[in-house]
Structure formats: C-alpha cells, structure tokens
Amino acid sequence: MTKRTLGVLVVCLLLLAGATTQTTKAQSADAILQQVNQFRLNNGLPAFTYNGALASAAQNQANYMAEFGVFSSHMGYGGSWPQDRANAAAGFFLVANIGFSVPPLLAGLAVDRFGAAPALGGLWLVVTATAAALALAILRSRRGGDAAAAAAAGCGGATGRGQRNPG
C-alpha cells in the first residue's frame, strides 16, 4: 500500500468517524427530546418542538461554560443571560430569512423592469444603506445602554440633586 493510498484511507476514516459522532449527537438530542416530551404528555403538558436557533444558542453557552470552567451561573459571554441569547438567536434567524428572501425577489423584479445593471446597482445601494443604518443603530444602542447601566449602578453619574456621585 502506498503512502498516498494510506493517507486517503486515513482521511476517509476520520471523516467517517466525525460524521458518526455528529449523527450520534443528533440521535442523543432527539432521544432526550422524545423522553422529555413523553414526560410532559404524561403530566398533561404540551410537547416541546425542536428549535434550531435555541439549540445553537444553548450549544454555544455549553461551549463557553466548558472553556472557562463556569458551572455555577447561567450568565454567558459578555454578561448575557438565557433570554438574551434566545432573543439574539431568534432575531438572527428572522433577519437572515428576510434578508435571503426579499432582496433576491425585489432584485429579480427590478431586473425585469429596468435591466440588470441599474437593478443590481440599486440593490447594492439599498444593501449598503441598510447595513450603514443598522451599524449606526447598534452603535447608538450600545452607547445609550452603557450610559444607562452606569447611571443605574451609580457609577459616577448624577445623583438627581445636581451633584456628582463620588463613587
């Protein structure tokens, strides 16, 4: 057996092992969900449905906890809490679905109406303007959120009597 053949065989085995591990993880998750749902149904509660966005957020949190050895808190990276991560995951998938369906539809209609070059140029302008507006909104919300958090914590903000807080 040549070195090249042996190398190809090793790569194939590694890929197969990785696929088997992923399949096993998916089967384990499905089995756990089925057991939880059976328990819920036995107790008069509705079954849960699988949500890929929440599963991804939960896996990211598990990775964070394992990496940093954090096992006593639900607080995640950057001070996020479970509801924050769920909202972010849901928002991401909503924006992604809208972002990947509406622009191509509108671009196709514009190409039919105005031709390819003007339609794609217009699409580029709209996407650029939207990205800039979103970036500006994020920057503004972060600045406002930091100031509000500092004021709420009493960290050098105004005390309400026109005096500065010495802390």
Side-chain angles (χ1 to χ4, degrees):
M1 190 179 296
T2 66
K3 287 183 179 181
R4 183 175 184 179
T5 304
L6 183 60
V8 169
L9 182 60
V10 167
V11 168
C12 289
L13 288 174
L14 289 173
L15 289 173
L16 181 61
T20 302
T21 302
Q22 291 301 323
T23 301
T24 303
K25 285 181 183 178
Q27 289 171 345
S28 296
D30 288 340
I32 291 169
L33 181 61
Q34 287 175 2
Q35 289 176 357
V36 167
N37 281 337
Q38 188 58 53
F39 177 82
R40 290 179 61 82
L41 291 172
N42 291 344
N43 289 282
L45 299 170
F48 287 132
T49 56
Y50 181 81
N51 183 305
L54 292 178
S56 176
Q59 185 61 56
N60 288 338
Q61 176 64 11
N63 294 345
Y64 168 81
M65 292 173 72
E67 182 177 345
F68 294 102
V70 177
F71 301 107
S72 61
S73 173
H74 291 287
M75 184 185 295
Y77 182 77
S80 67
W81 289 96
Q83 188 65 49
D84 300 328
R85 295 186 293 275
N87 291 345
F92 171 78
F93 282 99
L94 175 67
V95 169
N97 283 325
I98 291 171
F100 288 121
S101 61
V102 174
L105 175 66
L106 294 177
L109 293 172
V111 166
D112 288 344
R113 171 95 174 158
F114 304 110
L120 295 177
L123 177 65
W124 181 84
L125 287 173
V126 168
V127 168
T128 303
T130 302
L134 288 172
L136 185 61
I138 289 169
L139 288 174
R140 284 183 178 165
S141 72
R142 286 188 178 167
R143 278 193 223 136
D146 292 344
C155 298
T159 61
R161 293 188 301 259
Q163 300 173 348
R164 296 208 35 96
N165 187 350

